[in-house]
Amino acid sequence: MEVKKEELLHIANLARLKLQDNEIEKYLLNLQDILNYANLVNKVDVEGLKETIGERDSYNVFRKDEIDRFGNIEGMIKNFPEEQDDMIRVPKVVQ
């Protein structure tokens, strides 16, 4: 499967990437290499292989969810440039 320049630019647009003209050829080659490798993996014969998830049998190992109060709130607030009513003031990040 050959990747065309228009397809790459469409993918870059969806990912909100701004590619320079001198980067397009490099990205085309990298994307082509990735797709070639995926095709190679798809062709591997897996008939008769046992299904595996990982090398160990243990899974879903979680720590106990415990509430732990932070002791030095005033000291932490002093490390931030702005505070308001004993809270950290952060700049707006949503447009």
Coordinates of all heavy atoms in Angstrom, one line a residue:
M1 N 0.8 -1.2 0.0 CA 0.0 0.0 0.0 C 0.9 1.2 0.0 O 1.7 1.4 0.9 CB -0.9 0.0 1.2 CG -1.7 1.2 1.5 SD -2.7 1.1 2.9 CE -3.6 2.6 2.8
E2 N 0.7 2.1 -1.0 CA 1.5 3.3 -1.1 C 0.7 4.5 -0.5 O -0.5 4.6 -0.8 CB 1.8 3.5 -2.6 CG 2.5 4.9 -2.8 CD 3.8 4.7 -3.4 OE1 4.2 3.5 -3.8 OE2 4.5 5.7 -3.5
V3 N 1.4 5.3 0.2 CA 0.7 6.4 0.9 C 1.0 7.6 0.0 O 2.1 7.9 -0.4 CB 1.3 6.7 2.3 CG1 0.6 7.9 2.9 CG2 1.1 5.5 3.1
K4 N -0.1 8.3 -0.4 CA 0.1 9.5 -1.2 C 0.3 10.8 -0.4 O -0.1 10.8 0.8 CB -1.1 9.7 -2.1 CG -1.3 8.5 -3.1 CD -2.5 8.7 -3.9 CE -2.7 7.5 -4.8 NZ -4.0 7.2 -5.2
K5 N 0.8 11.8 -1.0 CA 1.1 13.0 -0.3 C -0.2 13.6 0.3 O -0.3 14.1 1.4 CB 1.8 14.0 -1.2 CG 2.1 15.4 -0.6 CD 2.8 16.3 -1.6 CE 3.0 17.6 -1.0 NZ 3.7 18.5 -1.9
E6 N -1.3 13.6 -0.5 CA -2.6 14.1 -0.1 C -3.1 13.4 1.1 O -3.7 14.0 2.0 CB -3.6 14.0 -1.2 CG -3.3 14.9 -2.4 CD -2.2 14.2 -3.3 OE1 -2.1 13.0 -3.3 OE2 -1.5 15.0 -4.1
E7 N -2.9 12.1 1.2 CA -3.4 11.3 2.4 C -2.6 11.7 3.6 O -3.1 11.8 4.7 CB -3.2 9.8 2.1 CG -4.1 9.3 1.0 CD -3.8 7.9 0.6 OE1 -2.6 7.5 0.5 OE2 -4.8 7.1 0.4
L8 N -1.3 11.9 3.4 CA -0.4 12.3 4.6 C -0.9 13.6 5.1 O -1.0 13.8 6.3 CB 1.0 12.3 4.2 CG 2.0 12.8 5.2 CD1 2.1 11.8 6.4 CD2 3.3 13.2 4.6
L9 N -1.1 14.6 4.2 CA -1.5 15.9 4.6 C -2.9 15.9 5.3 O -3.1 16.6 6.2 CB -1.5 16.8 3.4 CG -0.2 17.1 2.8 CD1 -0.3 18.0 1.5 CD2 0.7 17.8 3.8
H10 N -3.8 15.0 4.8 CA -5.1 14.8 5.4 C -4.9 14.3 6.9 O -5.5 14.8 7.8 CB -6.0 13.9 4.6 CG -7.3 13.7 5.2 ND1 -8.3 14.6 5.3 CD2 -7.9 12.6 5.8 CE1 -9.4 14.2 5.9 NE2 -9.1 12.9 6.2
I11 N -4.1 13.3 7.0 CA -3.8 12.7 8.4 C -3.2 13.8 9.3 O -3.6 13.9 10.4 CB -2.9 11.5 8.2 CG1 -3.7 10.3 7.5 CG2 -2.4 11.0 9.6 CD1 -2.8 9.2 7.1
A12 N -2.2 14.5 8.7 CA -1.6 15.6 9.5 C -2.6 16.6 9.9 O -2.6 17.1 11.1 CB -0.5 16.2 8.7
N13 N -3.5 16.9 9.1 CA -4.6 17.9 9.4 C -5.5 17.4 10.5 O -5.8 18.1 11.4 CB -5.4 18.3 8.1 CG -6.4 19.3 8.4 OD1 -6.1 20.3 9.1 ND2 -7.6 19.1 7.9
L14 N -5.9 16.1 10.4 CA -6.7 15.5 11.5 C -6.0 15.5 12.8 O -6.6 15.7 13.9 CB -7.1 14.1 11.1 CG -8.0 13.9 9.9 CD1 -8.2 12.4 9.6 CD2 -9.4 14.5 10.2
A15 N -4.6 15.3 12.8 CA -3.8 15.3 14.0 C -3.4 16.7 14.4 O -2.7 16.9 15.4 CB -2.6 14.4 13.8
R16 N -3.8 17.7 13.7 CA -3.5 19.1 13.9 C -2.0 19.3 13.9 O -1.4 20.1 14.7 CB -4.1 19.6 15.2 CG -5.6 19.8 15.1 CD -6.1 20.4 16.4 NE -7.4 21.0 16.3 CZ -8.6 20.3 16.2 NH1 -8.6 19.0 16.1 NH2 -9.7 20.9 16.1
L17 N -1.3 18.7 12.9 CA 0.1 18.9 12.8 C 0.3 19.8 11.6 O -0.3 19.7 10.6 CB 0.8 17.5 12.4 CG 0.7 16.5 13.5 CD1 1.4 15.2 13.0 CD2 1.5 16.9 14.8
K18 N 1.3 20.7 11.8 CA 1.6 21.6 10.7 C 3.0 21.2 10.1 O 4.0 21.4 10.7 CB 1.7 23.1 11.2 CG 0.3 23.6 11.7 CD 0.4 25.0 11.9 CE -0.9 25.6 12.6 NZ -2.1 25.2 12.0
L19 N 2.9 20.5 9.0 CA 4.2 20.0 8.4 C 4.8 21.0 7.5 O 4.1 21.6 6.7 CB 3.9 18.7 7.6 CG 3.4 17.5 8.4 CD1 3.1 16.3 7.5 CD2 4.3 17.1 9.5
Q20 N 6.1 21.2 7.6 CA 6.8 22.0 6.6 C 7.0 21.2 5.3 O 7.0 20.0 5.3 CB 8.2 22.4 7.2 CG 8.1 23.1 8.6 CD 7.3 24.4 8.5 OE1 7.4 25.2 7.6 NE2 6.5 24.7 9.6
D21 N 7.2 21.9 4.3 CA 7.4 21.3 3.0 C 8.6 20.3 3.0 O 8.6 19.3 2.3 CB 7.6 22.3 1.9 CG 6.3 23.1 1.6 OD1 5.2 22.5 1.8 OD2 6.4 24.2 1.1
N22 N 9.7 20.7 3.7 CA 10.8 19.8 3.7 C 10.7 18.6 4.6 O 11.5 17.7 4.6 CB 12.1 20.6 4.2 CG 11.9 21.2 5.6 OD1 10.8 21.3 6.1 ND2 13.0 21.7 6.1
E23 N 9.6 18.5 5.4 CA 9.3 17.4 6.3 C 8.4 16.3 5.6 O 8.4 15.2 6.1 CB 8.6 17.9 7.6 CG 9.5 18.8 8.4 CD 8.7 19.3 9.6 OE1 7.5 19.6 9.5 OE2 9.3 19.3 10.7
I24 N 7.7 16.7 4.6 CA 6.7 15.8 4.0 C 7.3 14.5 3.5 O 6.7 13.5 3.8 CB 5.9 16.6 2.9 CG1 5.1 17.7 3.6 CG2 5.0 15.6 2.1 CD1 4.4 18.6 2.6
E25 N 8.4 14.6 2.8 CA 9.0 13.4 2.2 C 9.4 12.5 3.3 O 9.3 11.2 3.3 CB 10.1 13.8 1.3 CG 10.7 12.6 0.5 CD 9.7 12.1 -0.5 OE1 8.8 12.8 -1.0 OE2 9.7 10.8 -0.7
K26 N 10.0 13.0 4.4 CA 10.5 12.2 5.5 C 9.3 11.5 6.2 O 9.4 10.3 6.5 CB 11.2 13.1 6.5 CG 11.7 12.4 7.8 CD 12.5 13.4 8.6 CE 11.9 13.3 10.0 NZ 12.5 14.2 11.0
Y27 N 8.2 12.2 6.4 CA 7.0 11.6 7.0 C 6.4 10.6 6.1 O 5.9 9.6 6.6 CB 6.0 12.7 7.4 CG 6.3 13.4 8.7 CD1 7.1 14.5 8.8 CD2 5.8 12.9 9.9 CE1 7.4 15.1 10.0 CE2 6.0 13.5 11.1 CZ 6.9 14.6 11.1 OH 7.2 15.2 12.3
L28 N 6.4 10.8 4.8 CA 5.9 9.8 3.9 C 6.7 8.5 4.0 O 6.1 7.4 4.1 CB 6.0 10.3 2.4 CG 4.8 11.2 2.0 CD1 5.1 11.8 0.6 CD2 3.5 10.4 1.9
L29 N 8.0 8.6 4.1 CA 8.8 7.4 4.2 C 8.6 6.7 5.5 O 8.5 5.5 5.6 CB 10.3 7.8 4.0 CG 10.7 8.2 2.6 CD1 12.2 8.7 2.7 CD2 10.6 7.1 1.6
N30 N 8.5 7.5 6.6 CA 8.2 6.9 7.9 C 6.9 6.2 8.0 O 6.8 5.1 8.5 CB 8.3 7.9 9.0 CG 9.7 8.4 9.3 OD1 10.7 7.7 8.9 ND2 9.9 9.6 9.9
L31 N 5.9 6.8 7.5 CA 4.5 6.2 7.5 C 4.5 5.0 6.6 O 3.9 4.0 7.0 CB 3.5 7.2 7.0 CG 2.0 6.8 7.0 CD1 1.6 6.3 8.4 CD2 1.1 7.9 6.6
Q32 N 5.2 5.0 5.5 CA 5.3 3.8 4.6 C 6.0 2.7 5.3 O 5.5 1.5 5.2 CB 6.0 4.2 3.3 CG 5.9 3.2 2.2 CD 4.4 2.9 1.8 OE1 3.8 3.9 1.4 NE2 4.0 1.7 1.8
D33 N 7.1 3.0 6.0 CA 7.8 1.9 6.7 C 6.9 1.3 7.8 O 6.9 0.1 8.0 CB 9.0 2.5 7.4 CG 10.1 2.8 6.4 OD1 10.1 2.3 5.3 OD2 11.1 3.5 6.8
I34 N 6.1 2.1 8.5 CA 5.2 1.6 9.5 C 4.1 0.7 8.9 O 3.8 -0.4 9.4 CB 4.5 2.8 10.3 CG1 5.6 3.5 11.1 CG2 3.4 2.3 11.2 CD1 5.1 4.9 11.7
L35 N 3.5 1.1 7.8 CA 2.5 0.3 7.1 C 3.1 -1.0 6.6 O 2.5 -2.0 6.7 CB 1.8 1.1 6.0 CG 1.0 2.3 6.5 CD1 0.4 3.1 5.4 CD2 -0.2 1.8 7.4
N36 N 4.3 -0.9 6.0 CA 5.0 -2.1 5.5 C 5.2 -3.1 6.7 O 5.0 -4.3 6.5 CB 6.3 -1.8 4.9 CG 6.1 -1.1 3.5 OD1 5.0 -1.2 2.9 ND2 7.1 -0.4 3.1
Y37 N 5.6 -2.6 7.8 CA 5.8 -3.5 9.0 C 4.5 -4.1 9.5 O 4.5 -5.3 9.8 CB 6.5 -2.7 10.1 CG 6.9 -3.6 11.3 CD1 7.9 -4.5 11.2 CD2 6.1 -3.5 12.5 CE1 8.2 -5.3 12.3 CE2 6.4 -4.4 13.5 CZ 7.5 -5.2 13.4 OH 7.8 -6.1 14.5
A38 N 3.5 -3.3 9.5 CA 2.2 -3.8 9.9 C 1.7 -4.9 9.0 O 1.1 -5.9 9.4 CB 1.1 -2.7 10.0
N39 N 1.9 -4.7 7.7 CA 1.6 -5.8 6.7 C 2.4 -7.0 6.9 O 1.9 -8.1 6.8 CB 1.7 -5.2 5.3 CG 0.6 -4.3 4.8 OD1 -0.5 -4.4 5.3 ND2 1.0 -3.4 3.9
L40 N 3.6 -6.9 7.2 CA 4.5 -8.0 7.5 C 4.0 -8.8 8.8 O 3.9 -10.0 8.7 CB 5.9 -7.5 7.8 CG 7.0 -8.6 8.1 CD1 7.2 -9.5 6.9 CD2 8.3 -7.9 8.5
V41 N 3.6 -8.0 9.8 CA 3.1 -8.7 11.0 C 1.8 -9.4 10.7 O 1.5 -10.5 11.2 CB 2.9 -7.6 12.1 CG1 2.1 -8.2 13.3 CG2 4.3 -7.1 12.6
N42 N 0.9 -8.8 9.9 CA -0.3 -9.4 9.5 C -0.2 -10.7 8.8 O -1.1 -11.6 8.8 CB -1.2 -8.5 8.7 CG -1.9 -7.4 9.5 OD1 -2.1 -7.6 10.7 ND2 -2.2 -6.3 8.9
K43 N 0.9 -10.9 8.1 CA 1.2 -12.1 7.3 C 1.8 -13.3 8.1 O 1.9 -14.4 7.6 CB 2.1 -11.8 6.1 CG 1.5 -10.9 5.1 CD 2.5 -10.6 4.0 CE 2.0 -9.6 3.0 NZ 2.9 -9.2 2.0
V44 N 2.1 -13.0 9.4 CA 2.7 -14.1 10.2 C 1.7 -15.2 10.5 O 0.5 -14.9 10.8 CB 3.2 -13.5 11.5 CG1 3.7 -14.5 12.5 CG2 4.4 -12.5 11.3
D45 N 2.1 -16.4 10.3 CA 1.3 -17.5 10.6 C 1.1 -17.8 12.1 O 2.1 -18.1 12.7 CB 1.8 -18.8 9.9 CG 1.0 -20.0 10.0 OD1 -0.3 -19.8 10.3 OD2 1.5 -21.1 9.9
V46 N -0.1 -17.6 12.6 CA -0.3 -17.8 14.0 C -1.2 -19.0 14.3 O -1.6 -19.2 15.4 CB -0.9 -16.6 14.6 CG1 0.0 -15.4 14.6 CG2 -2.2 -16.2 13.9
E47 N -1.4 -19.8 13.3 CA -2.2 -21.0 13.4 C -1.5 -22.0 14.4 O -0.3 -22.3 14.4 CB -2.3 -21.8 12.0 CG -3.3 -22.9 12.0 CD -4.7 -22.4 12.2 OE1 -5.0 -21.3 11.7 OE2 -5.5 -23.1 12.8
G48 N -2.3 -22.4 15.4 CA -1.8 -23.4 16.4 C -1.2 -22.7 17.6 O -0.8 -23.4 18.5
L49 N -1.0 -21.4 17.6 CA -0.4 -20.7 18.7 C -1.5 -20.5 19.8 O -2.6 -20.2 19.5 CB 0.2 -19.4 18.3 CG 1.4 -19.4 17.4 CD1 1.8 -18.0 17.1 CD2 2.5 -20.2 18.1
K50 N -1.0 -20.6 21.1 CA -2.0 -20.4 22.2 C -2.1 -18.9 22.4 O -1.1 -18.2 22.3 CB -1.4 -21.1 23.4 CG -2.4 -21.2 24.5 CD -1.8 -22.1 25.6 CE -1.5 -21.3 26.8 NZ -1.0 -22.0 27.9
E51 N -3.3 -18.5 22.8 CA -3.6 -17.1 23.1 C -2.8 -16.7 24.4 O -2.9 -17.4 25.3 CB -5.1 -16.9 23.3 CG -5.6 -15.8 22.5 CD -7.1 -15.7 22.7 OE1 -7.5 -15.0 23.7 OE2 -7.9 -16.2 22.0
T52 N -2.2 -15.5 24.3 CA -1.5 -15.0 25.5 C -1.8 -13.6 25.7 O -2.0 -12.8 24.7 CB 0.0 -15.2 25.5 OG1 0.5 -14.5 24.3 CG2 0.4 -16.7 25.4
I53 N -1.8 -13.1 26.9 CA -2.0 -11.7 27.2 C -0.6 -11.1 27.7 O -0.3 -10.0 27.3 CB -3.1 -11.5 28.3 CG1 -4.4 -11.9 27.8 CG2 -3.1 -10.0 28.7 CD1 -5.5 -11.9 28.8
G54 N 0.1 -11.8 28.4 CA 1.4 -11.3 28.9 C 2.2 -12.5 29.4 O 1.8 -13.7 29.3
E55 N 3.4 -12.2 29.9 CA 4.2 -13.3 30.4 C 3.9 -13.9 31.7 O 4.4 -14.9 32.1 CB 5.7 -12.9 30.3 CG 6.0 -11.8 31.3 CD 7.4 -11.3 31.1 OE1 7.8 -10.8 30.0 OE2 8.2 -11.3 32.1
R56 N 3.1 -13.1 32.5 CA 2.8 -13.5 33.9 C 1.3 -13.8 34.0 O 0.5 -13.3 33.2 CB 3.1 -12.4 34.9 CG 4.6 -12.3 35.1 CD 4.8 -11.4 36.3 NE 5.7 -10.4 36.0 CZ 5.7 -9.2 36.4 NH1 4.7 -8.8 37.2 NH2 6.6 -8.3 36.0
D57 N 0.9 -14.6 34.9 CA -0.5 -14.9 35.2 C -1.2 -13.9 36.0 O -2.4 -13.8 36.1 CB -0.6 -16.3 35.9 CG -0.2 -17.4 34.9 OD1 -0.3 -17.2 33.7 OD2 0.2 -18.5 35.4
S58 N -0.4 -13.0 36.7 CA -1.1 -12.1 37.6 C -1.6 -10.9 36.8 O -0.9 -10.4 35.8 CB -0.1 -11.6 38.7 OG 1.0 -10.9 38.1
Y59 N -2.7 -10.4 37.1 CA -3.3 -9.2 36.5 C -4.3 -8.6 37.4 O -4.6 -9.1 38.4 CB -4.0 -9.6 35.2 CG -5.0 -10.7 35.3 CD1 -6.3 -10.4 35.6 CD2 -4.7 -12.1 35.2 CE1 -7.3 -11.4 35.7 CE2 -5.6 -13.1 35.4 CZ -6.9 -12.8 35.6 OH -7.8 -13.8 35.8
N60 N -4.7 -7.3 37.1 CA -5.5 -6.5 37.9 C -5.0 -6.4 39.3 O -5.7 -6.5 40.3 CB -7.0 -7.1 38.0 CG -7.7 -7.0 36.6 OD1 -7.3 -6.2 35.8 ND2 -8.7 -7.8 36.5
V61 N -3.7 -6.0 39.4 CA -3.1 -5.8 40.7 C -3.2 -4.3 41.0 O -2.6 -3.5 40.3 CB -1.6 -6.2 40.7 CG1 -1.0 -6.0 42.0 CG2 -1.5 -7.7 40.3
F62 N -4.0 -3.9 41.9 CA -4.3 -2.5 42.3 C -3.9 -2.3 43.7 O -4.0 -3.2 44.6 CB -5.7 -2.2 42.1 CG -6.2 -2.3 40.6 CD1 -7.1 -3.3 40.3 CD2 -5.8 -1.4 39.7 CE1 -7.5 -3.5 39.0 CE2 -6.2 -1.6 38.4 CZ -7.1 -2.6 38.0
R63 N -3.5 -1.1 44.0 CA -3.3 -0.8 45.4 C -4.6 -0.4 46.1 O -5.5 0.0 45.4 CB -2.3 0.4 45.6 CG -2.8 1.7 45.0 CD -1.7 2.8 45.3 NE -2.1 4.0 44.7 CZ -3.0 4.9 45.1 NH1 -3.6 4.6 46.3 NH2 -3.3 6.0 44.5
K64 N -4.6 -0.4 47.4 CA -5.9 -0.1 48.1 C -6.0 1.4 48.0 O -5.1 2.2 48.1 CB -5.7 -0.5 49.5 CG -7.0 -0.3 50.3 CD -6.9 -0.8 51.7 CE -8.1 -0.6 52.5 NZ -8.0 -1.0 53.9
D65 N -7.3 1.9 47.7 CA -7.6 3.3 47.6 C -7.8 3.9 49.0 O -8.8 3.6 49.6 CB -8.8 3.5 46.7 CG -9.0 4.9 46.3 OD1 -8.1 5.7 46.4 OD2 -10.1 5.2 45.8
E66 N -6.8 4.7 49.4 CA -6.9 5.3 50.7 C -6.8 6.8 50.6 O -6.0 7.3 49.8 CB -5.8 4.8 51.6 CG -5.8 3.3 51.8 CD -4.6 2.8 52.6 OE1 -3.6 3.5 52.7 OE2 -4.7 1.7 53.1
I67 N -7.5 7.5 51.5 CA -7.5 9.0 51.5 C -6.3 9.3 52.4 O -6.1 8.8 53.5 CB -8.8 9.5 52.1 CG1 -9.9 9.2 51.2 CG2 -8.6 11.0 52.3 CD1 -11.3 9.6 51.7
D68 N -5.4 10.3 51.9 CA -4.3 10.7 52.7 C -4.3 12.3 52.6 O -4.2 12.8 51.5 CB -3.0 10.1 52.1 CG -1.8 10.4 52.9 OD1 -2.0 10.8 54.1 OD2 -0.7 10.2 52.4
R69 N -4.4 12.9 53.7 CA -4.4 14.4 53.8 C -2.9 14.9 53.6 O -2.0 14.4 54.2 CB -4.9 14.9 55.1 CG -6.4 14.5 55.3 CD -7.2 15.6 54.8 NE -8.6 15.3 55.0 CZ -9.6 15.8 54.2 NH1 -9.3 16.6 53.2 NH2 -10.8 15.4 54.4
F70 N -2.8 16.0 52.8 CA -1.5 16.6 52.7 C -1.4 17.6 53.8 O -2.3 18.4 54.1 CB -1.5 17.4 51.3 CG -0.1 18.0 51.1 CD1 0.9 17.2 50.7 CD2 0.0 19.4 51.1 CE1 2.2 17.8 50.5 CE2 1.2 20.0 50.9 CZ 2.3 19.2 50.5
G71 N -0.2 17.6 54.5 CA -0.1 18.3 55.7 C 0.4 19.8 55.6 O 0.1 20.6 56.5
N72 N 1.0 20.2 54.5 CA 1.6 21.5 54.4 C 1.0 22.3 53.3 O 1.7 22.7 52.3 CB 3.1 21.4 54.3 CG 3.8 22.8 54.4 OD1 3.1 23.8 54.7 ND2 5.1 22.8 54.1
I73 N -0.3 22.6 53.4 CA -1.0 23.3 52.3 C -0.5 24.7 52.1 O -0.3 25.2 51.0 CB -2.5 23.3 52.5 CG1 -3.0 21.8 52.5 CG2 -3.3 24.1 51.5 CD1 -4.5 21.6 52.8
E74 N -0.2 25.4 53.2 CA 0.2 26.8 53.1 C 1.6 26.8 52.4 O 1.9 27.7 51.6 CB 0.4 27.4 54.5 CG -0.9 27.6 55.2 CD -1.4 26.3 56.0 OE1 -0.6 25.4 56.2 OE2 -2.6 26.2 56.2
G75 N 2.5 25.9 52.7 CA 3.8 25.8 52.1 C 3.7 25.5 50.6 O 4.4 26.1 49.8
M76 N 2.7 24.7 50.2 CA 2.5 24.4 48.8 C 2.0 25.6 48.1 O 2.5 25.9 47.0 CB 1.5 23.2 48.7 CG 1.3 22.8 47.3 SD 0.1 21.5 47.1 CE -1.4 22.3 47.6
I77 N 1.0 26.3 48.7 CA 0.4 27.4 48.0 C 1.5 28.5 47.8 O 1.5 29.2 46.8 CB -0.8 28.0 48.8 CG1 -1.9 27.0 48.7 CG2 -1.2 29.3 48.3 CD1 -3.1 27.3 49.5
K78 N 2.5 28.7 48.7 CA 3.5 29.7 48.5 C 4.4 29.4 47.3 O 5.1 30.3 46.8 CB 4.4 29.7 49.8 CG 3.7 30.3 50.9 CD 4.6 30.3 52.1 CE 3.9 30.8 53.4 NZ 4.7 30.8 54.6
N79 N 4.4 28.2 46.8 CA 5.2 27.8 45.6 C 4.6 28.2 44.3 O 5.3 28.2 43.3 CB 5.5 26.3 45.6 CG 6.5 25.9 46.7 OD1 7.5 26.6 46.9 ND2 6.2 24.8 47.3
F80 N 3.4 28.7 44.3 CA 2.7 29.0 43.1 C 2.6 30.6 42.9 O 2.6 31.3 43.9 CB 1.3 28.5 43.1 CG 1.2 27.0 42.8 CD1 1.4 26.1 43.9 CD2 1.1 26.5 41.6 CE1 1.4 24.7 43.7 CE2 1.1 25.1 41.3 CZ 1.3 24.2 42.4
P81 N 2.7 31.1 41.7 CA 2.8 32.5 41.5 C 1.5 33.3 42.0 O 1.6 34.4 42.4 CB 3.0 32.7 40.0 CG 2.7 31.4 39.4 CD 2.8 30.3 40.5
E82 N 0.3 32.6 41.9 CA -0.9 33.3 42.3 C -1.7 32.5 43.2 O -1.8 31.3 43.0 CB -1.7 33.7 41.0 CG -1.1 34.7 40.1 CD -2.0 35.1 39.0 OE1 -3.2 35.5 39.3 OE2 -1.6 35.1 37.9
E83 N -2.4 33.1 44.1 CA -3.3 32.4 45.0 C -4.5 33.3 45.3 O -4.4 34.5 45.2 CB -2.7 32.0 46.3 CG -2.3 33.2 47.2 CD -2.4 32.9 48.7 OE1 -3.4 32.4 49.1 OE2 -1.4 33.1 49.4
Q84 N -5.6 32.7 45.6 CA -6.8 33.4 45.9 C -7.6 32.6 46.9 O -8.0 31.4 46.7 CB -7.6 33.6 44.6 CG -8.9 34.4 44.9 CD -9.7 34.6 43.5 OE1 -9.2 34.3 42.5 NE2 -10.9 35.0 43.7
D85 N -7.9 33.1 48.1 CA -8.7 32.5 49.1 C -8.1 31.1 49.5 O -8.9 30.1 49.5 CB -10.2 32.4 48.7 CG -10.8 33.7 48.4 OD1 -10.5 34.7 49.1 OD2 -11.6 33.8 47.5
D86 N -6.9 31.1 49.8 CA -6.2 29.8 50.1 C -6.3 28.7 49.1 O -6.3 27.5 49.4 CB -6.7 29.3 51.5 CG -6.2 30.2 52.6 OD1 -5.1 30.8 52.5 OD2 -6.9 30.2 53.6
M87 N -6.4 29.1 47.8 CA -6.5 28.2 46.7 C -5.4 28.6 45.6 O -5.1 29.8 45.5 CB -7.9 28.1 46.1 CG -8.9 27.5 47.0 SD -10.5 27.4 46.2 CE -11.1 29.1 46.4
I88 N -5.0 27.7 44.9 CA -4.1 28.0 43.8 C -4.8 28.5 42.6 O -5.8 28.0 42.2 CB -3.3 26.7 43.4 CG1 -2.5 26.2 44.6 CG2 -2.4 27.0 42.2 CD1 -2.0 24.8 44.4
R89 N -4.4 29.7 42.1 CA -5.0 30.3 40.9 C -4.2 29.9 39.7 O -3.0 30.1 39.6 CB -5.1 31.8 41.1 CG -5.8 32.5 40.0 CD -5.9 34.0 40.3 NE -6.5 34.7 39.2 CZ -7.7 34.9 39.0 NH1 -8.6 34.5 39.9 NH2 -8.1 35.6 38.0
V90 N -4.8 29.3 38.7 CA -4.2 28.9 37.5 C -4.8 29.6 36.3 O -5.9 30.0 36.3 CB -4.3 27.3 37.3 CG1 -3.5 26.6 38.4 CG2 -5.7 26.9 37.2
P91 N -4.0 29.8 35.2 CA -4.5 30.5 34.1 C -5.5 29.6 33.3 O -5.5 28.4 33.4 CB -3.3 30.8 33.2 CG -2.2 29.8 33.7 CD -2.6 29.5 35.1
K92 N -6.4 30.3 32.6 CA -7.4 29.6 31.9 C -6.8 28.9 30.7 O -5.9 29.5 30.0 CB -8.5 30.6 31.3 CG -9.6 30.0 30.5 CD -10.5 31.2 30.1 CE -11.6 30.6 29.2 NZ -12.4 31.7 28.7
V93 N -7.1 27.6 30.5 CA -6.5 26.9 29.4 C -7.5 26.5 28.3 O -7.1 26.0 27.2 CB -5.8 25.6 29.9 CG1 -4.6 25.9 30.8 CG2 -6.8 24.7 30.7
V94 N -8.7 26.7 28.5 CA -9.8 26.4 27.5 C -10.1 27.6 26.7 O -10.2 28.7 27.3 CB -11.1 25.9 28.2 CG1 -12.1 25.6 27.2 CG2 -10.8 24.7 29.1
Q95 N -10.1 27.4 25.4 CA -10.4 28.6 24.6 C -11.8 28.8 24.3 O -12.6 27.9 24.2 CB -9.6 28.4 23.2 CG -8.2 28.4 23.4 CD -7.4 28.3 22.1 OE1 -8.1 28.0 21.0 NE2 -6.1 28.3 22.1

